[in-house]
Amino acid sequence: MAKSRSIIIGGSLAGLMCGIALKHAGHEVHIIEQDGNERQSHVSGIGLGPTVDHFLQRHDRISSVFSNRIGCIQTLKNGTPRVIAVGNRDITSWDAFYYRLRSNFDGYISPYYPVAPQPSETDGSVTYEARQKVLNISPDGSQMVLSILDHGTQETHQRNADLVIGADGPDSLVRAKYLPTVQRSYVGYIVWRGTVPELEVSKRTREIFTRSIMTCMMKGGHCIVYTIAGQNGSLEPGERLLNFCWYTNETSKSLDEILIDAVDGHRHHNTVPAGRLRKSIWSARLKRAQKELPTPFLEIVTRIRRPFVQVITEFNVSSPRAAFENGKVLLVGDALSLLRPHSGLGTAQAAFHALALEDYVAGRKTVKEWEDEVLRFSYLHWTQSVWWGMTWIVPVP
C-alpha cells in the first residue's frame, strides 16, 4: 500500500498500537477518540506476553521498565501458597501501558512519561483528536468518508481516509454497521475489582503476592490478586498496587441491583465506575468476603476504597469477517473479538492485529490473508478464554 491517510476510530490500546505501526511505516495517521486525552484511570492490571513483547521490540522507543514479572500461579491451601502453574508473565497497569503507547504515538506528555521519545525522519505525521465522535462512515470513490461530531463545539464535519480502522471497542460503530447481528451478551458472571497500595497490608500478605498470581477458588466464583505498577507507573517496592479481582455468578435480577449508579440512580450497562458503586452493595459484598475469603484476600478487599464492577460479556456469535469495502475498512481488538479476561490475552490480540496490519500496509499480505490471520487468532484465543472461564467459574443458568 502506498503512503496513505489512515483514520483510526478509537484511541485505546488497540487503536494506539495500530497507530504506532502505521506511523513507523511512514503513513499519515489520525486517531479519533470520543473521550478526553486524560483517560479515566482503569486502575486494573493487564498481561503482556510474547505477542506484546514482539510488538514492543519493533515499536517501543522508551527503554524504561514498566512491567512486573510474575513467575507462577499459586493458590492458597490451608493458608499456605501452593504452585499450580509455572511460567513467566509480565504484568503492568492499564494506565502505564496506555501512556507509554501515547508517548510513542504522538509524544504525549504525562507524569508517567514526562519526556517524549525521539522521532524518526521516516515517521508519518500523526494526530490524536480527543472528544470527537464518529457518527457514520461510507465509501466515496477510492476513499472512505467519515462524519464526525466535535463534542466541544457540537458541530459536525467530514473527513476522508484511504484506510479506516475500527478500534472502537465492544460497542463498535464499525462492527454495528457491517456486522449488525454480532452483539454483546452477558455470560452469567461479573468481576468486582479494586486496588490497594501494597504498604497498606501486612508484610506477609505483600510477600505472598509479590512474584505470583494468587488465586482462591470457592463455590460459584474465584479471586485473583497480583502486583501491578503504582502511581505514575512506579515499580519500586512499597509504591506498587495490589490488584484485586473477585468473579461471582450473578442472576439478571441481582445484576439489575448491582448496576444502579450511586449518584444519579441510572442503571449502567457493563461497568459501574469507581466512585459510583452504591455503599449498600459493597457492604453486602464485604460481609460475604468475611465468610468466604482467606485472610490475605480478606485483608486486601477490606482496604479497597474505590471498588468498581465489570460485567463479563462476549459476542453472541464470532465475527465472520474483519475486512470490508475491499480492504479500506478493518476491525481490530475488542471491536472484532471480545475475549473473556481470564486468559489475559486481550492486549495480545490487539498487538497481533497491529503487527498483521503492518504486514498488510507494507504489501506483504493481501487483505484476505490479513483477515484470515486475525480471524483465526481471535477465534482460537476466544475459545481459550471461554475454556478458562468455564474452568474457573460455572455461570448461572
Side-chain angles (χ1 to χ4, degrees):
M1 181 181 290
K3 303 306 181 188
S4 62
R5 171 187 290 180
S6 298
I7 291 182
I8 300 173
I9 306 173
S12 192
L13 305 186
L16 284 167
M17 282 192 268
C18 287
I20 290 167
L22 289 170
K23 168 190 172 180
H24 291 174
H27 296 275
E28 177 186 343
V29 189
H30 305 277
I31 290 180
I32 307 297
E33 168 57 47
Q34 64 178 348
D35 291 332
N37 275 310
E38 292 296 326
R39 306 294 294 276
Q40 180 180 354
S41 173
H42 286 220
V43 201
S44 59
I46 56 172
L48 302 182
T51 309
V52 180
D53 289 345
H54 184 201
F55 176 87
L56 293 174
Q57 288 166 11
R58 287 189 57 78
H59 295 294
D60 189 10
R61 294 173 177 171
I62 302 172
S63 60
S64 61
V65 177
F66 74 110
S67 61
N68 182 49
R69 175 150 291 185
I70 298 298
C72 62
I73 301 176
Q74 299 188 89
T75 188
L76 282 180
K77 187 173 184 179
N78 299 324
T80 302
R82 176 185 175 187
V83 176
I84 58 176
V86 176
N88 290 332
R89 186 75 182 273
D90 290 330
I91 293 178
T92 190
S93 69
W94 187 95
D95 304 62
F97 196 37
Y98 168 79
Y99 286 111
R100 193 180 190 94
L101 294 175
R102 277 300 303 269
S103 185
N104 275 289
F105 178 68
D106 65 338
Y108 188 76
I109 301 301
S110 70
Y112 288 82
Y113 300 100
V115 179
Q118 280 294 113
S120 168
E121 292 182 357
T122 60
D123 286 347
S125 62
V126 302
T127 62
Y128 189 102
E129 302 171 32
R131 293 185 51 77
Q132 309 283 315
K133 182 177 181 180
V134 176
L135 303 176
N136 189 35
I137 61 174
S138 57
D140 181 24
S142 62
Q143 292 188 312
M144 299 297 297
V145 61
L146 294 83
S147 178
I148 302 172
L149 172 68
D150 185 316
H151 282 305
T153 65
Q154 291 300 303
E155 294 180 351
T156 301
H157 61 281
Q158 292 189 333
R159 300 274 289 278
N160 283 66
D162 302 298
L163 177 65
V164 175
I165 298 171
D168 45 344
D171 297 316
S172 169
L173 167 84
V174 179
R175 192 187 68 256
K177 179 180 178 67
Y178 292 102
L179 300 172
T181 61
V182 181
Q183 299 181 356
R184 294 178 82 170
S185 60
Y186 177 47
V187 302
Y189 53 92
I190 67 174
V191 58
W192 310 79
R193 309 190 69 148
T195 58
V196 174
E198 61 180 345
L199 286 185
E200 292 187 9
V201 301
S202 65
K203 181 180 178 182
R204 171 171 168 74
T205 295
R206 290 199 304 274
E207 290 174 348
I208 288 175
F209 297 114
T210 296
R211 290 295 178 186
S212 69
I213 297 174
M214 185 66 68
T215 67
C216 174
M217 302 295 295
M218 64 201 77
K219 185 178 180 180
H222 72 282
C223 285
I224 295 179
V225 175
Y226 50 87
T227 304
I228 63 173
Q231 185 176 15
N232 299 334
S234 175
L235 293 170
E236 291 296 318
E239 297 180 1
R240 298 166 299 188
L241 299 173
L242 291 169
N243 187 58
F244 176 91
C245 307
W246 185 1
Y247 293 88
T248 63
N249 289 312
E250 302 294 342
T251 64
S252 296
K253 183 178 179 181
S254 64
L255 197 62
D256 286 339
E257 282 294 312
I258 292 168
L259 296 180
I260 298 299
D261 188 272
V263 177
D264 59 22
H266 82 280
R267 184 191 185 280
H268 291 277
H269 292 292
N270 297 300
T271 302
V272 182
R276 309 302 286 259
L277 186 66
R278 288 183 294 162
K279 290 183 179 179
S280 60
I281 296 294
W282 186 239
S283 295
R285 178 56 34 190
L286 292 179
K287 286 182 181 179
R288 183 170 164 180
Q290 296 283 347
K291 299 177 181 178
E292 299 184 13
L293 299 187
T295 300
F297 287 86
L298 185 61
E299 186 179 356
I300 294 171
V301 71
T302 54
R303 286 167 171 77
I304 294 174
R305 298 190 185 96
R306 290 172 58 80
F308 66 101
V309 170
Q310 177 186 356
V311 178
I312 306 304
T313 60
E314 62 189 7
F315 296 148
N316 57 338
V317 294
S318 298
S319 298
R321 296 181 60 195
F324 313 91
E325 306 289 357
N326 295 317
K328 294 193 292 290
V329 177
L330 307 177
L331 270 178
V332 300
D334 290 345
L336 175 65
S337 180
L338 186 54
L339 310 183
R340 299 190 192 187
H342 313 284
S343 57
L345 292 171
T347 309
Q349 174 178 249
F352 184 89
H353 292 173
L355 290 167
L357 172 67
E358 183 180 356
D359 287 338
Y360 169 53
V361 298
R364 294 188 291 269
K365 286 185 175 72
T366 66
V367 66
K368 181 66 167 59
E369 290 170 334
W370 177 88
E371 184 176 50
D372 287 346
E373 281 195 9
V374 300
L375 287 176
R376 182 168 57 250
F377 183 97
S378 293
Y379 178 75
L380 289 174
H381 288 78
W382 169 76
T383 57
Q384 183 179 352
S385 77
V386 171
W387 184 88
W388 279 108
M390 299 302 289
T391 299
W392 289 106
I393 181 168
V394 178
V396 174

